[in-house]
Amino acid sequence: METFVSEIATEKGVKAPLAEIEPKKRVARIPTISREVRLVSRPHGLPVPDNFTVVRVEVPPPGEDQVLVRNLYMSVDPYMRGRMNDVPSYVSPFQLNQPLDGAAVGEVIESRAPGIVPGDIVTSRLGWREYFVSGMREVRVVDRDVRPLSAYLGALGMTGLTAWAGLNLVDVKAGDRVLISAAAGAVGSIAGQLSKMRGCRVIGSAGSPEKVTMLLKELGFDAAFNYKDGDLPRQLKASAPDGIDVYFDNVGGEMLEAALSAMRPNGRIIACGAIGGYNDETPVSGPRNLHLFVTKRLTMRGFIVGDWFDRMPEFVKEMNAHIAGGGLVMKETVVQGIDRAPHAFVDLLRGGNIGKMVVKLTKEDSGPGHVGE
Amino acid sequence: METFVSEIATEKGVKAPLAEIEPKKRVARIPTISREVRLVSRPHGLPVPDNFTVVRVEVPPPGEDQVLVRNLYMSVDPYMRGRMNDVPSYVSPFQLNQPLDGAAVGEVIESRAPGIVPGDIVTSRLGWREYFVSGMREVRVVDRDVRPLSAYLGALGMTGLTAWAGLNLVDVKAGDRVLISAAAGAVGSIAGQLSKMRGCRVIGSAGSPEKVTMLLKELGFDAAFNYKDGDLPRQLKASAPDGIDVYFDNVGGEMLEAALSAMRPNGRIIACGAIGGYNDETPVSGPRNLHLFVTKRLTMRGFIVGDWFDRMPEFVKEMNAHIAGGGLVMKETVVQGIDRAPHAFVDLLRGGNIGKMVVKLTKEDSGPGHVGE
C-alpha cells in the first residue's frame, strides 16, 4: 500500500503542506449517496481485504434536530481489531454486515439542529463512511481554524488524550526515565514528546531504522532502538543503562518482560495496549518475571481512554498550548479514499504507519461542499 | 515431620493452651554455648537437609550497651528462600557458612544496655540461633503480657503487617469481593480476617480439604476452594460468581491468570508474593491474559513490608484492638527445637503449615532462664 506522511507542525507553529480543506459557510449540494465500509466476516489473525466490503447507501435528508455531515478524515486505530472479534469487551463488538464506526472529523453540509450551521467542523464516532445524518448530540462542534483538521483524530483527539491520560495515571514527572514501546505510533509519539516536556529522559522502541531515526532526530527522544533487532534486554540496557522508572506499554509480550527486568524500584507501568497480541489466535504466555512486582515494588495500571473524557477540556487546553508553542510535532500517515480504509487499517496493525494513521475521505483537490466521487 | 497447631485466640479473648513461657525478672544462668543454623550450600529447587547445618558456638558476655538474649521463638518465612539464592534482591542473600537470620522473639538474660533489664521480652532479626549478644538498637522491647509471645512473629509481627499493608495498599473496603491465595497461610489467614472485618466478601484458595474447612469454619471466609482440585477458573467462578474486585496474590502463576479472568472492572491486585515459583529452577511463563489490564482497567501493586515499618504503631494499635475484641483468630503451626528449624522451613515451602509457622526454641516445659539442652 502506498502511504504518505505529512509533517504538520514545525518549530514555529503549524503548517499544512498538503492541500487542506478550507471550510466555508455555504449550503452544499445535498448528496444522496454515501459509501461506507462494512465488516462481512470476522478476521482470524491479521484481517484480510475479504473481511470488508464497501457499500453505497442512500443518505436521507436530516430530520428535526439532525445534521448532515460530510466526513473529511476518519481514524483507524488498533483497538478496532478487538471489536472485530465477537467477544464482549469494554466496547461492543462490530456487527457483521453493518458499517464499522470510529472517530471522524467532518463538515456540516445541512443542519436542522439549533446552533449548528453548514460549514461547521464536527467530530463524531461515525467514521468509516463518507456522509451521515445524525442527531445533534452525536456530533461535537470544534474550532474550525485548527490545522490540519485531522489533528482532531490525533494529538487533539482520542490518541492524544490516551497519551496524556497514561502519563497522568502514574504521575510521570521530571527526572523519570520513561520507556515507550510502539514509540513511533500515534499514541507513543505523543506520549514521548509530552514526557520530554515534563523533563523526563525518554527511550523509545520502534520497528524500523527509519522510525528510530525519526524518534531521535525529529521527536527529541534521548535514545531509541529497533525491537526487530532482537535481544531486547541488551538493547534496553544500552539505551537505559540506569534502568527505567516508567514503562508506557503499547505492545505487551516480550517487551514487557524486558521492561520489568530493567525497572528501577517503585517503577510504574502504564498498560495502554498490547497490539503485539491483537491478532494472535492463541494467547501467548506472559512475562516470566512477574515476581519482580514484589521485589521492586512495581505498579501496573491499565486504563481506557473513555474514562478520561470528562477531562477533555483540561487536556485540550494543555495540548493547544503545546501546539501553539511549536514544541509538539504531530506526525501522521494519510491514506486517501474510503475504498482504501481497510488497507489502511491492516497496514496500521502491521506497523506501516508513522504517527497517527488517518484516512482522508475527500480528494486532495476538493474543497468543502464538493461532492466528489 | 511432626507439627502441631495451637489455636491461640478465642471469641472471648486470648488463651494459651500450650505451656507458655512466663518471663520473670531474674538474672539467669549465663550460657556460653548456643546452637545456630547455617547455610552450607545453596538449594536447587526445594531445599534439602544437606543445605543446612546446626553449629554450636560460644556466646560472649555482653559488652557495653549490649544485651544477651535467649530466643524463645523464631520465624520461618517464604521470603527466606529467595535469600538462599546468590542473587541481589531487596534483602541481601544469605552467606554460606554463616548463620541464617530472620525474625525472632526472645527474653533478655543479661543487659548492659540502659533501659533494658533481664526478663524483658524483645523482638529482633537474629533468629535461627538460640542465644545472641547484640547492640541495644538491634532489639525492640515489646509488651511481655501478650500471649502467645509468638504472636510477635505472626499477627503482631511482620506477617500481620504484611497482610495489613497489602490491604491498605489498594484500599480494600466494605463491599469488595476479595480473593486470597495461600489463604490458610500466615499472611493469607490474617488478610482474610482483616478483609472480613472491613465488610468484604472473602474467598480463599488453599491446598488441602482441611485448610478449606478451617477457612470456612474457623476464620469466617465466605467461600473457599482447594486449588489442587484443578480447573481454577471453574472453581473460582463457583466461589465468586459475580467476579472479584481484589486479589491478594501470594502465589503467582496459574492462580493469577484465573484471578485476572475473574476480575471486575477497576479491580486491584496486591502482589505480595509468588511462593509457587520460589523453588523453580527455570522461571515459568506468566499469565496469558495480561491484556485484561487494559480492558478491565486493572491495577497491580507490589510491595515490601519493610517499607511499612514506620506505620508499625498504627498497625499494632489496630491489631491489638482486634485481638482484644476476640475477633481475630491467630492460627499457628509450631515446630519444636532449633535442630528442626530447617525441616520447618522446608515444610513451610511445601505448604505443610496452617497459619504462621514458628519454631519454638525452648523445651515445652522450660521457663525463662532455664538453659536447657
Side-chain angles (χ1 to χ4, degrees), chain B residues 240-286:
Chain B
D242 299 326
I244 56 176
D245 301 290
V246 174
Y247 174 41
F248 198 116
D249 186 9
N250 291 307
V251 301
E254 280 178 51
M255 184 66 79
L256 177 55
E257 182 168 304
L260 286 169
S261 290
M263 274 274 158
R264 295 166 63 89
N266 300 302
R268 298 99 79 199
I269 297 164
I270 303 152
C272 181
I275 193 172
Y278 286 174
N279 293 305
D280 292 331
E281 296 268 352
T282 311
V284 292
S285 293

Side-chain angles (χ1 to χ4, degrees), chain A residues 64-124:
Chain A
E64 197 176 346
D65 291 337
Q66 287 189 323
V67 290
L68 167 65
V69 175
R70 173 202 194 198
N71 275 332
L72 304 173
Y73 294 97
M74 57 161 273
S75 183
V76 288
D77 299 286
Y79 80 89
M80 293 170 174
R81 177 62 187 85
R83 296 187 64 194
M84 292 176 186
N85 299 329
D86 191 18
V87 290
S89 184
Y90 62 101
V91 275
S92 54
F94 288 125
Q95 297 303 304
L96 290 181
N97 303 312
Q98 294 294 319
L100 300 168
D101 60 66
V105 57
E107 178 201 12
V108 175
I109 300 291
E110 189 180 355
S111 174
R112 293 187 59 193
I116 302 182
V117 297
D120 278 353
I121 299 299
V122 294
T123 58
S124 76

Side-chain angles (χ1 to χ4, degrees), chain A residues 61-358:
Chain A
E64 197 176 346
D65 291 337
Q66 287 189 323
V67 290
L68 167 65
V69 175
R70 173 202 194 198
N71 275 332
L72 304 173
Y73 294 97
M74 57 161 273
S75 183
V76 288
D77 299 286
Y79 80 89
M80 293 170 174
R81 177 62 187 85
R83 296 187 64 194
M84 292 176 186
N85 299 329
D86 191 18
V87 290
S89 184
Y90 62 101
V91 275
S92 54
F94 288 125
Q95 297 303 304
L96 290 181
N97 303 312
Q98 294 294 319
L100 300 168
D101 60 66
V105 57
E107 178 201 12
V108 175
I109 300 291
E110 189 180 355
S111 174
R112 293 187 59 193
I116 302 182
V117 297
D120 278 353
I121 299 299
V122 294
T123 58
S124 76
R125 301 287 312 154
L126 293 162
W128 296 92
R129 69 203 76 188
E130 292 177 304
Y131 295 87
F132 64 84
V133 167
S134 80
M136 59 186 292
R137 297 198 194 292
E138 290 178 70
V139 300
R140 186 167 66 96
V141 178
V142 295
D143 180 357
R144 52 183 285 141
D145 293 327
V146 164
R147 288 295 174 280
L149 288 170
S150 53
Y152 286 115
L153 308 180
L156 288 173
M158 232 180 55
T159 298
L161 183 62
T162 300
W164 184 82
L167 299 180
N168 286 346
L169 187 72
V170 304
D171 189 26
V172 172
K173 57 188 183 306
D176 279 332
R177 303 160 184 86
V178 181
L179 170 67
I180 298 176
S181 54
V187 173
S189 61
I190 302 292
Q193 293 181 82
L194 291 180
S195 298
K196 281 301 294 180
M197 290 172 191
R198 292 184 182 200
C200 304
R201 179 180 154 81
V202 180
I203 302 107
S205 160
S208 76
E210 294 72 26
K211 290 178 179 178
V212 168
T213 301
M214 189 275 291
L215 293 176
L216 295 171
K217 302 292 181 196
E218 299 185 58
L219 302 194
F221 278 53
D222 297 289
F225 60 93
N226 181 352
Y227 74 88
K228 292 183 179 168
D229 288 342
D231 199 348
L232 299 180
R234 186 192 55 76
Q235 291 208 80
L236 189 46
K237 182 83 186 169
S239 292
D242 298 327
I244 55 176
D245 301 291
V246 174
Y247 173 41
F248 198 116
D249 187 8
N250 290 308
V251 300
E254 280 178 51
M255 185 65 81
L256 177 56
E257 183 169 303
L260 286 169
S261 290
M263 273 273 157
R264 295 166 62 89
N266 301 302
R268 298 99 79 199
I269 297 164
I270 303 152
C272 180
I275 193 173
Y278 286 175
N279 293 306
D280 293 331
E281 296 268 354
T282 312
V284 293
S285 292
R288 293 163 293 183
N289 53 0
L290 287 182
H291 59 275
L292 295 176
F293 266 89
V294 182
T295 53
K296 294 185 179 180
R297 303 97 151 152
L298 305 181
T299 296
M300 177 157 73
R301 299 191 66 183
F303 73 106
I304 298 297
V305 66
D307 295 342
W308 290 71
F309 283 169
D310 59 339
R311 293 185 66 180
M312 202 69 168
E314 182 189 349
F315 156 74
V316 168
K317 190 177 168 192
E318 185 178 328
M319 293 300 279
N320 275 331
H322 290 319
I323 293 170
L328 193 81
V329 179
M330 296 186 285
K331 302 293 288 189
E332 61 178 16
T333 299
V334 183
V335 173
Q336 177 75 43
I338 193 158
D339 51 327
R340 296 182 70 207
H343 297 270
F345 176 63
V346 174
D347 200 39
L348 169 77
L349 294 178
R350 282 201 202 103
N353 59 308
I354 289 187
K356 181 73 189 99
M357 179 81 104
V358 297

Side-chain angles (χ1 to χ4, degrees), chain B residues 96-171:
Chain B
L96 290 182
N97 302 310
Q98 295 293 320
L100 300 168
D101 60 65
V105 56
E107 177 201 13
V108 175
I109 300 290
E110 191 181 354
S111 173
R112 292 187 60 193
I116 302 181
V117 297
D120 277 354
I121 299 299
V122 294
T123 56
S124 77
R125 300 287 312 154
L126 293 162
W128 295 92
R129 67 203 78 189
E130 292 176 305
Y131 295 88
F132 65 84
V133 167
S134 80
M136 59 186 292
R137 295 195 197 292
E138 290 180 70
V139 299
R140 186 169 65 97
V141 178
V142 294
D143 180 357
R144 51 182 286 141
D145 294 327
V146 163
R147 288 294 174 280
L149 289 170
S150 54
Y152 287 114
L153 308 180
L156 288 173
M158 233 179 54
T159 298
L161 183 62
T162 300
W164 184 82
L167 299 180
N168 286 346
L169 187 71
V170 303
D171 189 25

